[in-house]
């Protein structure tokens, strides 16, 4: 490979790097004057607060007369004047240390936060590094049991697919399901379809339909939805007004949702103000601290936070991902339920996405993703999430790797297909019973099996609009849906749907961090996080650990032997190994001994590359003979190790040259007088070793016997993660080999009968 | 009656006897049979002001005074018709009310017609803040 150097004066590795998905990401220089600053910005105010006669008269460098709406709201409703002096008077580094100190209880830190201004909160968490933030997050979050939330949408607003995908998301364990639509008129149809789908399989999954504020509340009133989270707040007055609200209007809306028995959380996240053009030169974290203080002030139970739509922008700024973690920490420190972002995909790099999720996966979170795309990326009407239908199994494996509860549970193929069928039947029955349409079997079938809407032949957005408007105009409610389900024989689904609607009567799920698990409401009140170090806080039960571990496609010894057994008959048809008694040392100087392993051709019948062992032997023998050598086969039963197989074979060979060959295909050329692990040639990458390589091995062995120094055979690898792909199987196979060894067993002479052409 | 505490939570489980729907139906009357017969209506599935005040007591006992205050405001809104709630919300959005007086009139209505003193005071406070921050300007 003596190519000419490139014409451009550039190390070609940069060309390689340019082609990585990472290079599609934007990276921005730090520039506080233009709002590009993650935390501790030069224009952020120094923390301060002044209390006079029980009133906050100055805060974070502003006198009351200069307060904007956000300052006013925080000063009046968030800050507790009785605590301000103590909290603001305590050194920020000291408070930061208490956040990670196991002897300082969560309650004490929550109490102090009630006396801290946004600048103070931001200053404290800025003292923590990323690991400390994650640790403090695990300690400070409100509810003990972690949960997760799914997006269920599709590119056609097809109700059949929404129902099937909602049921699928429920099966995987999501606690909340959020939908939205491509065509805003379709909100009612989407809501109805998802609420039916979410009632398949188990009761109690909370559901929301993200749409225009007034419409969303109306859909909630009709009983289709159980929570809302699109109540956005912003960290500067001007962006708040551009968002068409004020702290007072949003607080009023918060009360309105509660008054209808609907669980509600606010939304805020880093860089929203920067995107909206009103950042006031403040850091992302300071503005977010204002948002979060405001949310506690409004009296909402929780927040969707951690750079929601702005996450990709935050991630473009130095330290931006640490900032996202820091704002989530402030959220839980303020005792808010936290749906911790990990929502909008903030990078094209799978490594960055995986790294970003990890702290939340291992620390746990009320809702780890505030929108895990349970559907394929192109079907996600919110835009792709960090994790989507494509990456679902990666997430399941991360849970298993770290023994961390990410809220999801692996499911088998049969169960998913049953649930999808059931969901499509249920929604079709409801549509027919309510006189909204009559989905035919072909439509239904196409949806059940479809991975995404590209594969369905079902409703189009325009047809859905007709259904949706009928639902709205006819004032169809959840009770009509429950009745329709029951009349059409979907008794369990009718009961599940009634269960969730009944929850709103008591209002139990309005409390902080409320979810439904096993038919019970759990929240920060009856399932509080009391982490006090090792052995405390949320831990996997043995049962939960089993669920998380049960991913698809796991190998065991039985599986390996079953796969091998399938090859046994084919091998028996092409080769016979005749055992001729103890092998003795040879004297022919052309003789090469091939030492095969104990399970070779007895329990194991093909290499990791899938080659028939008969073919491998035939190639090696052909190679030896073409080099003028003769081959003798010996089975070694005192060892299964390649080096010792090779060395033992060499010591039996008249030439002093031996080949060690394991059933999995690993091979070595050895010489009588060498140390065990100092061989002549080694073929360690069995999965990519070809028959031609084995032939070359035989030829080289013969060359060594002739006293030559041939060019070693090199098996080229292209960076495959062979360990990841094969080591599970290798360990199981090798255990089969070693189980057949006997200390001191003598080598056996083997005569091969080739009976025909091997595959 | 003594105030509810965290031990009373969840109410539907621990204190079902004090939970009823809008028309006084207890939780165990909200059966599938009753839904099928038409005996249960959406009214029966609405939260009551009383339940919201009960949840406020629990939130306060759990150390969440701001959440409790929100539930207390919600308790006042629970009986207010949807159109009125949405009209007040709209009026509180930037630039919708053109004067302090408009918001004050709404507050007076809430106090007079809907016995909602907390919400009324909240709207009056907004009037004061909006005036101070110049929010009575037309936006579209």
């Amino acid at each position: 490979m003596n190519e000419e150097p490139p014409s451009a004066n550039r190390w070609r590795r940069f060309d390689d790097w340019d082609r990585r998905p990472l290079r599609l990401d934007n990276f921005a220089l730090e520039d506080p004057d233009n709002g590009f600053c993650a935390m501790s910005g030069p224009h952020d105010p120094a923390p301060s607060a002044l209390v006079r006669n029980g009133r906050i008269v100055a805060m974070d460098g502003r006198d009351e007369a200069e307060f904007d709406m956000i300052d006013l709201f925080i000063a009046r409703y968030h800050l507790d004047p009785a605590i301000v002096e103590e909290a603001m008077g305590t050194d920020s580094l000291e408070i930061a240390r208490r956040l990670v100190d196991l002897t300082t209880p969560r309650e004490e830190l929550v109490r102090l936060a009630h006396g801290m201004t946004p600048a103070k909160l931001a200053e404290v968490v800025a003292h923590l590094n990323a690991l400390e933030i994650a640790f403090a997050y695990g300690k400070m979050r409100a509810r003990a049991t972690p949960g997760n939330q799914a997006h269920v949408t599709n590119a056609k607003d097809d109700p059949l697919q929404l129902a099937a995908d909602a049921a699928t998301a429920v099966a995987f364990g999501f606690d909340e399901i959020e939908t939205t639509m491509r065509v805003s008129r379709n909100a009612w149809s989407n809501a109805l379809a998802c609420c039916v789908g979410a009632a398949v399989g188990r009761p109690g999954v909370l559901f929301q339909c993200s749409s225009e504020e007034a419409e969303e509340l109306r859909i909630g009133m009709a009983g289709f939805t159980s929570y809302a989270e699109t109540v956005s707040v912003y960290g500067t007055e001007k962006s708040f007004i551009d968002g068409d609200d004020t702290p007072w209007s949003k607080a009023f809306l918060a009360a309105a949702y509660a008054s209808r028995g609907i669980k509600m959380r606010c939304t805020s996240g880093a860089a929203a103000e920067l995107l909206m053009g009103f950042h006031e030169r403040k850091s992302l974290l300071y503005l977010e601290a204002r948002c979060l203080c405001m949310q506690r002030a409004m009296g909402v139970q929780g927040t969707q936070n951690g750079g929601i739509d702005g996450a990709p922008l935050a991630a473009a700024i130095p330290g931006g991902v640490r900032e996202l973690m820091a704002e989530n920490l402030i959220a839980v420190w303020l005792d808010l339920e936290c749906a911790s972002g990990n929502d909008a995909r903030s990078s094209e790099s799978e490594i960055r996405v995986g790294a970003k999720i990890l702290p939340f996966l291992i620390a746990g979170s009320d809702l780890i993703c505030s929108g895990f795309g349970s559907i394929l990326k192109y079907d996600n009407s919110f835009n792709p999430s960090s994790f989507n239908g494509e990456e679902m199994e990666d997430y399941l494996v991360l849970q298993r790797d770290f023994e961390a509860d990410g809220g999801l549970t692996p499911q088998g193929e049969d169960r998913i297909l049953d649930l999808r069928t059931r969901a499509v039947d249920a929604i079709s029955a409801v549509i027919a019973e309510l006189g909204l349409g009559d989905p035919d079997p072909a439509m239904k079938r196409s949806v059940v099996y479809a991975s995404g809407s590209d594969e369905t032949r079902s409703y189009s957005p325009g047809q859905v609009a007709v259904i949706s408007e009928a639902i709205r105009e006819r004032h169809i409610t959840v009770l009509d849906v429950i009745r329709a389900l029951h009349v059409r024989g979907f008794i369990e689904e009718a009961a599940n749907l009634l269960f969730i609607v009944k929850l709103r009567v008591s209002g139990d799920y309005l409390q902080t961090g409320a979810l439904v698990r096993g038919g019970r409401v759990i929240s920060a009140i009856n399932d509080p996080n009391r982490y006090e170090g090792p052995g405390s806080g949320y831990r996997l039960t043995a049962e939960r650990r089993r669920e998380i571990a049960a991913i698809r496609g796991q190998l065991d010894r039985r599986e390996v032997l079953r796969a091998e057994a399938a090859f046994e008959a084919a091998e028996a048809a092409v080769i016979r190994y005749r055992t001729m008694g103890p092998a003795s040392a040879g004297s022919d100087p052309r003789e090469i001994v091939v030492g095969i392993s104990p399970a070779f051709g007895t329990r194991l019948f093909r290499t990791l590359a899938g080659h028939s062992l008969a073919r491998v032997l035939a190639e090696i023998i052909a190679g030896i003979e073409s080099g003028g050598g003769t081959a003798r086969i010996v089975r070694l039963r005192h060892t299964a190790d390649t080096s010792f197989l090779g060395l033992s074979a060499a010591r039996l060979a008249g030439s002093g040259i031996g080949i060690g060959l394991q059933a999995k295909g690993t091979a070595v050329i050895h010489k009588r007088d060498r140390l065990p692990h100092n061989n002549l040639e080694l073929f360690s990458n069995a999965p990519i070793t070809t028959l031609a390589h084995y032939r070359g091995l035989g030829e080289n062995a013969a060359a060594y016997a002739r006293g030559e120094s041939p060019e070693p055979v090199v098996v080229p690898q292209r960076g495959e993660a062979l360990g990841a792909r094969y080591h599970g199987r290798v360990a199981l196979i090798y255990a089969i080999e070693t189980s057949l060894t006997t200390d001191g067993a003598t080598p056996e002479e083997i005569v091969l009968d080739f009976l025909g052409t091997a595959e | 009656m003594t105030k509810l505490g965290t031990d009373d939570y969840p109410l539907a489980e621990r204190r079902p006897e004090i939970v009823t729907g809008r028309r006084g139906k207890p939780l165990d009357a909200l059966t599938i049979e009753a839904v099928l017969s038409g005996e249960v209506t959406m009214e029966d599935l609405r939260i009551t002001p009383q339940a919201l005040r009960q949840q406020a007591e629990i939130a306060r006992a759990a150390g969440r005074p701001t959440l409790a205050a929100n539930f207390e405001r919600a308790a006042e809104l629970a009986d207010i018709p949807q159109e009125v709630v949405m009209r007040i919300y709209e009026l509180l959005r930037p630039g919708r009310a053109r004067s302090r007086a408009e918001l004050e009139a709404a507050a007076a209505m809430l106090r007079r017609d809907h016995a909602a003193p907390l919400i009324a005071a909240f709207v009056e406070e907004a009037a004061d803040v909006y005036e101070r921050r110049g929010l009575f300007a037309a936006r579209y």
Side-chain angles (χ1 to χ4, degrees), chain A residues 212-249:
Chain A
E212 190 274 326
E213 261 102 358
E215 188 86 328
E216 188 165 336
L217 195 49
R218 271 194 289 273
I219 292 170
M221 292 283 288
F224 294 123
T225 55
S226 32
Y227 81 100
E229 70 175 356
T230 44
V231 182
S232 305
V233 304
Y234 304 95
T236 63
E237 191 176 73
K238 284 207 165 73
S239 39
F240 218 128
I241 292 169
D242 262 13
D244 207 16
D245 270 295
T246 74
W248 276 263
S249 68

Side-chain angles (χ1 to χ4, degrees), chain A residues 586-594 620-633 649 652-659 698-699 701-703 705-706:
Chain A
S587 54
D588 179 350
R590 295 178 308 151
E591 180 192 74
I592 313 286
V593 170
V594 180
I620 289 175
I621 292 166
I624 290 170
E625 290 174 352
S626 78
T630 62
R632 180 157 66 107
I633 311 299
L652 290 170
S655 66
I657 300 295
I659 290 174
E699 288 169 4
R706 295 195 305 271

Side-chain angles (χ1 to χ4, degrees), chain A residues 7 20 62 101 110 169 280 373 378 393 464 575 600 643 738 757:
Chain A
S7 51
R20 303 264 305 165
R62 273 186 193 157
D101 168 22
V110 167
E280 295 179 0
Y378 70 78
E393 288 201 318
V464 175
I575 192 170
F600 196 104
S643 296
T738 57
T757 313

Side-chain angles (χ1 to χ4, degrees), chain A residues 281-536:
Chain A
R281 304 198 304 165
K282 301 298 191 292
S283 72
L284 306 185
L285 185 63
Y286 169 68
L287 294 181
E288 194 49 32
R290 278 162 67 88
C291 290
L292 290 164
C293 287
M294 197 162 28
Q295 290 172 51
R296 194 186 88 81
M298 287 161 63
V300 300
Q301 63 83 30
T303 182
Q304 168 184 228
N305 153 275
I308 305 307
D309 292 338
L313 180 52
I317 295 170
V321 176
R322 173 171 165 253
E323 190 282 336
L324 298 178
M325 295 171 66
E327 65 185 50
N328 285 141
L329 173 57
I330 293 177
V332 296
W333 185 10
L334 288 169
D335 202 22
L336 298 170
E337 175 203 55
C338 185
S340 46
N342 296 305
D343 184 333
R345 196 177 179 89
S346 57
S347 176
E348 290 286 4
S349 157
E350 294 203 328
I351 292 176
R352 287 186 89 199
V353 169
K356 184 173 180 294
I357 195 76
L358 188 64
F360 297 94
L361 185 64
I362 58 183
S365 183
D366 296 319
L367 295 143
I368 292 173
C369 300
S370 64
F372 185 121
S374 71
I375 52 343
L376 295 180
K377 287 193 188 85
Y378 70 78
D379 269 336
N380 196 331
S381 303
F382 295 98
N383 287 328
S385 295
S386 286
F387 285 81
N388 302 279
E390 287 91 336
E391 298 96 4
M392 172 84 89
E393 288 201 318
D394 297 68
Y395 186 88
L396 295 175
V397 170
L398 286 176
Q399 291 191 131
R400 180 178 182 269
D401 287 345
F402 291 94
E403 298 192 315
D405 193 337
L408 304 192
T409 305
Q411 295 296 321
E413 296 191 22
D414 292 346
R415 177 166 163 73
I416 292 295
L417 210 52
D418 287 350
L419 288 170
R420 292 182 67 82
T421 306
R422 181 85 181 164
V424 169
D425 287 344
I427 186 65
S428 300
V430 169
I431 287 172
E433 180 68 21
L434 296 177
L436 297 166
D438 190 16
D440 67 43
M443 289 165 71
K444 290 163 66 175
R445 212 169 31 246
S446 79
V447 168
V448 168
Y449 296 99
S451 181
S453 63
D454 279 357
E455 300 157 30
T456 62
R457 280 172 291 117
S458 183
Y459 287 105
S460 71
Q463 293 170 318
V464 175
V466 177
I467 295 176
S468 194
E469 274 164 26
I471 297 169
R472 187 169 60 89
E473 277 163 26
R474 286 170 46 197
H475 303 289
I476 289 171
T477 70
V478 74
L479 289 177
D480 300 311
V481 174
I482 292 171
R483 278 190 286 266
L485 282 167
H486 202 275
V487 165
R488 294 288 182 124
F490 294 88
I491 310 296
E492 190 188 315
E493 288 76 10
N496 288 350
L497 198 46
L498 178 61
F499 169 83
I500 195 90
V501 183
K502 258 175 80 172
L503 286 180
R504 66 169 61 174
V505 178
S506 65
D508 287 322
Y509 71 12
L510 301 177
Q511 295 287 352
T512 302
L515 292 179
V516 183
R517 282 283 175 95
R520 297 187 60 221
V521 175
I522 59 165
S523 74
I525 294 178
N526 60 348
D527 180 32
N529 179 24
R530 295 213 177 94
Y531 181 75
E532 293 166 343
S536 70

Side-chain angles (χ1 to χ4, degrees), chain A residues 652-670:
Chain A
L652 290 170
S655 66
I657 300 295
I659 290 174
L661 183 61
Q662 290 178 326
K664 65 187 170 68
T666 304
V668 70
I669 306 178
H670 228 307

